[in-house]
Amino acid sequence: MWSSLALRHCPGFHGSRRFLATVISGTKTSRLVKDRLKVEVEKISSEFSGFRPSLVVLQVGQRDDSNLYISTKLKAAAEIGIEAKHLRLPQTATQEEVLECVMSVNNDESVHGLIVQLPLDSAHFIDAEVITNAVSPEKDVDGLSCVNAGRLSRGNMNNCFIPCTPNGCMELIKQTGVSVEGKHAVVIGRSKIVGAPMHDLLLWNHATVTCCHSKTPDLPEQVSRADILVVGAGRAEMVLGDWLKEGAIVIDCGINHVPDDTKVGGKRVVGDVHYSSANQRAGFITPVPGGVGPMTVSMLMENTVRSAQRFLLKTHSWTTDTVDRC
């Protein structure tokens, strides 16, 4: 519980006067992460001439949204010095053909990270779970395979890849300077990509965690207890400001489009949290856009660099202080 003294010193409070929450910028934090990774890649390349971390993005079909996400990833990789390759299979690709491509990349020692862009845009039925689990755990830089998910759930975080969005959320929480240890955290959503791994990350960082979902009753009451709130429910502006505990850290993973006649295209992007009301009650809050989104890409780059470092450890008996974080 926050004491009254702690609340007075929390962003948003000054005596009895209330100020707006401190905004946690994912754009700025993402830039810091990418700048650090660029230095690390340059160091690796100087020690091992010609060596660069390598990432493959495998896509099936031609979805416009997937093309946009992939271009963002390729751009970030180029900025850092990661060699990124985009493999696109046609919409006619079968599950067997996709698996064959995955296995080929798994066996290529020059590739350190492989991500399968979801959803798979195929004319044939493809079990995304089968494809995701076919990716070698050592190259699963999205952290979505059962092996990596299992390691995270057991607290074996030094031997797994953490999914990029929850990992980015943790980095943003660190930016507040508030320790997770001993805090009551509430996660809304239990997806394999965000909610479930977010729960595990907070738990193994010593928070007391409540995971809420579509079947949770009295959601406002649960939220009101949260020192740290992470929302990944996929419902536009569902969490209202008056639900929040005063001074809470609010991390909004939502990306939703709502009608807005003042915007080009008639829509605007909002999160799962009603920002204008939450901003007047939280201590820290992420904006949408410009919050969690940029961090997801940066954490993908981080995992790719870590994978390359682990490869060097195995094949060249390489030691460096940087790898201590692997």
Side-chain angles (χ1 to χ4, degrees):
M1 295 289 290
W2 293 90
S3 68
S4 59
L5 179 61
L7 286 174
R8 292 190 195 106
H9 288 84
C10 181
F13 280 86
H14 188 271
S16 61
R17 296 168 56 200
R18 188 74 176 89
F19 290 88
L20 298 180
T22 298
V23 176
I24 316 168
S25 172
T27 302
K28 291 181 180 178
T29 306
S30 172
R31 182 73 265 167
L32 292 173
V33 171
K34 288 191 284 189
D35 288 346
R36 170 172 54 77
L37 292 174
K38 183 177 180 180
V39 172
E40 292 184 21
V41 170
E42 288 172 349
K43 181 178 180 181
I44 294 172
S45 297
S46 67
E47 293 186 30
F48 298 89
S49 180
F51 181 90
R52 292 173 64 191
S54 174
L55 172 69
V56 168
V57 182
L58 175 59
Q59 179 186 14
V60 178
Q62 287 274 12
R63 284 177 60 112
D64 289 340
D65 55 350
S66 293
N67 291 336
L68 177 61
Y69 296 144
I70 290 170
S71 66
T72 302
K73 294 167 186 175
L74 297 179
K75 180 181 177 182
E79 291 175 358
I80 293 166
I82 294 171
E83 183 177 351
K85 183 177 181 181
H86 180 194
L87 294 181
R88 182 188 282 120
L89 298 180
Q91 198 173 26
T92 55
T94 64
Q95 179 165 302
E96 290 71 23
E97 290 170 332
V98 178
L99 284 172
E100 183 179 344
C101 190
V102 169
M103 294 305 174
S104 176
V105 177
N106 283 346
N107 294 327
D108 186 346
E109 288 195 347
S110 70
V111 177
H112 310 109
L114 168 60
I115 66 171
V116 178
Q117 186 67 43
L118 301 176
L120 298 166
D121 181 26
S122 175
H124 305 283
F125 171 75
I126 298 179
D127 189 330
E129 190 83 0
V130 170
I131 303 300
T132 298
N133 285 318
V135 176
S136 167
E138 287 71 33
K139 299 186 181 186
D140 173 31
V141 289
D142 256 343
L144 299 182
S145 69
C146 286
V147 172
N148 278 313
R151 289 171 178 169
L152 175 59
S153 70
R154 297 288 292 271
N156 191 4
M157 292 185 291
N158 290 325
N159 191 32
C160 74
F161 286 114
I162 298 168
C164 302
T165 297
N167 209 9
C169 292
M170 291 301 294
E171 194 70 27
L172 291 171
I173 293 170
K174 289 177 187 176
Q175 292 296 312
T176 69
V178 176
S179 173
V180 172
E181 184 174 343
K183 299 299 188 299
H184 185 185
V186 172
V187 178
I188 301 179
R190 52 182 171 178
S191 72
K192 297 175 184 178
I193 297 175
V194 180
M198 191 74 237
H199 167 276
D200 295 339
L201 265 179
L202 288 163
L203 180 67
W204 295 114
N205 279 278
H206 312 300
T208 299
V209 189
T210 300
C211 186
C212 301
H213 44 77
S214 60
K215 304 301 181 184
T216 300
D218 60 22
L219 186 59
E221 181 180 346
Q222 297 294 337
V223 170
S224 71
R225 300 170 183 165
D227 301 312
I228 299 169
L229 175 67
V230 182
V231 189
R235 290 179 55 191
E237 301 180 321
M238 65 171 289
V239 175
L240 304 180
D242 60 8
W243 294 10
L244 302 176
K245 184 177 185 178
E246 295 276 14
I249 297 171
V250 179
I251 308 294
D252 189 351
C253 302
I255 301 177
N256 309 283
H257 295 86
V258 297
D260 188 337
D261 294 337
T262 67
K263 301 294 183 181
V264 177
K267 295 180 181 180
R268 62 186 170 90
V269 177
V270 299
D272 292 350
V273 176
H274 189 267
Y275 186 88
S276 59
S277 60
N279 193 30
Q280 300 187 44
R281 195 167 176 89
F284 298 88
I285 191 168
T286 58
V288 177
V292 173
M295 293 303 300
T296 298
V297 176
S298 291
M299 292 299 104
L300 173 63
M301 300 302 120
E302 170 112 38
N303 282 350
T304 302
V305 173
R306 297 291 162 256
S307 181
Q309 291 171 333
R310 292 174 184 176
F311 173 80
L312 288 173
L313 279 172
K314 288 181 180 179
T315 60
H316 293 77
S317 299
W318 183 54
T319 57
T320 175
D321 291 341
T322 303
V323 186
D324 289 341
R325 290 198 297 273
C326 293

